[in-house]
Amino acid sequence: EVHLVQSGAEVKKSGESLNISCKVSGYSFTNYWIGWVRQTPGKGLDWMGIIYPANSDAIYSPSFQGQVSISADESISTAYLQWSSLRASDTAIYYCARTFYYDDSAYFDFWGQGTLVTVSS
Amino acid sequence: QSALTQPPSASGSPGQSVTISCTGTSSDVGGYHYVSWYQQHPGKAPKLMIYEVNKRPSGVPDRFSGSKSGNTASLTVSGLQADDEADYYCSSSAGSNNFVVFGGGTKLTVL
């Protein structure tokens, strides 16, 4: 059974760095892309980027390019979403999801439970 | 403002059918056969219901169906059940630079 288990909620201050994780099980980590999706209250879903763990090839949404970093550790089947300097506007729930990426399109078939990130100014 | 336009709300009685629309442009919905739909219950992660316009993942009831005409995609839920009450989001490719764009979501209420 496919599972994506994310790290717990975080409370941070503006300017701080943060790294949240997504550990997968139930399938071969290196055979599928992993994506990250942001959900802000009342504003719906935003795709942030995807990574292919086998070679760490990452593709970012134009809206998030340069704002976050996505990485993966094949040895522990875990993907990461990282910020070097948080802003209050980063307050949101972040989901990781197994991703099918092909023909300049992607969809997400299994999702983590979400990580709430709260950033105070 | 979301790239794709969905009605904020939709409703139907148990057993009825309801259709949720997702309107984009020729640069996204109209230009690709890659529309997905996600269901999200309160406090839960989204769940994939439809991909590639009209394909259902394993385990999704055939009461859920998808279609597309021009720049508008649709999700139809037939034989409404109480558990169908949730938020529904559409998604489409918008080209090589931005291959996932979402709609703003539709809250489906089962009366």
Side-chain angles (χ1 to χ4, degrees), chain A residues 33-37 47-50 96-100 106-111, chain B residues 36-38 46-49 51 91 99-100 102:
Chain A
W33 293 78
I34 288 277
W36 288 92
V37 175
W47 166 67
M48 302 177 73
I50 59 173
C96 63
R98 192 175 78 166
T99 303
F100 282 83
Y107 65 88
F108 311 103
D109 68 339
F110 287 96
W111 295 63
Chain B
S36 304
W37 289 90
Y38 300 88
K47 174 186 176 182
L48 178 68
M49 304 302 285
Y51 66 100
S91 172
F99 47 81
V100 179
F102 286 101

Side-chain angles (χ1 to χ4, degrees), chain A residues 37 39 43-47 50 59-63 95 101-114, chain B residues 1-2 32 34 36 38 40 44-48 51-52 89 91-100 102-104:
Chain A
V37 175
Q39 185 166 35
K43 291 191 70 177
L45 302 170
D46 299 300
W47 166 67
I50 59 173
I59 305 173
Y60 295 89
S61 159
S63 299
Y95 293 99
Y101 168 55
Y102 56 98
D103 293 344
D104 291 335
S105 178
Y107 65 88
F108 311 103
D109 68 339
F110 287 96
W111 295 63
Q113 84 277 18
Chain B
Q1 188 170 352
S2 300
Y32 301 90
Y34 297 123
S36 304
Y38 300 88
Q40 186 178 34
K44 300 295 186 181
K47 174 186 176 182
L48 178 68
Y51 66 100
E52 293 180 6
Y89 294 90
S91 172
S92 171
S93 174
S96 59
N97 265 359
N98 197 17
F99 47 81
V100 179
F102 286 101

Side-chain angles (χ1 to χ4, degrees), chain A residues 35-107:
Chain A
W36 288 92
V37 175
R38 182 182 74 176
Q39 185 166 35
T40 48
K43 291 191 70 177
L45 302 170
D46 299 300
W47 166 67
M48 302 177 73
I50 59 173
I51 189 166
Y52 193 63
N55 58 13
S56 291
D57 182 20
I59 305 173
Y60 295 89
S61 159
S63 299
F64 290 92
Q65 180 80 47
Q67 308 304 309
V68 296
S69 295
I70 297 172
S71 61
D73 186 338
E74 178 185 342
S75 68
I76 54 173
S77 300
T78 300
Y80 301 93
L81 179 64
Q82 302 152 310
W83 293 262
S84 59
S85 180
L86 287 161
R87 310 171 185 175
S89 58
D90 292 320
T91 295
I93 298 172
Y94 294 87
Y95 293 99
C96 63
R98 192 175 78 166
T99 303
F100 282 83
Y101 168 55
Y102 56 98
D103 293 344
D104 291 335
S105 178
Y107 65 88

Side-chain angles (χ1 to χ4, degrees), chain B:
Chain B
Q1 188 170 352
S2 300
L4 307 179
T5 300
Q6 298 181 234
S9 62
S11 63
S13 299
Q16 289 186 333
S17 295
V18 64
T19 297
I20 299 170
S21 62
C22 171
T23 301
T25 68
S26 58
S27 296
D28 39 61
V29 174
Y32 301 90
H33 199 70
Y34 297 123
V35 176
S36 304
W37 289 90
Y38 300 88
Q39 176 193 65
Q40 186 178 34
H41 287 109
K44 300 295 186 181
K47 174 186 176 182
L48 178 68
M49 304 302 285
I50 297 286
Y51 66 100
E52 293 180 6
V53 176
N54 55 16
K55 296 180 180 179
R56 281 186 307 276
S58 175
V60 173
D62 60 6
R63 300 186 298 103
F64 292 85
S65 62
S67 62
K68 191 186 81 161
S69 178
N71 296 336
T72 298
S74 299
L75 173 72
T76 298
V77 186
S78 305
L80 272 175
Q81 300 179 2
D83 190 52
D84 298 334
E85 186 163 292
D87 293 326
Y88 291 84
Y89 294 90
C90 64
S91 172
S92 171
S93 174
S96 59
N97 265 359
N98 197 17
F99 47 81
V100 179
V101 290
F102 286 101
T106 297
K107 182 176 180 59
L108 173 61
T109 300
V110 179
L111 301 170

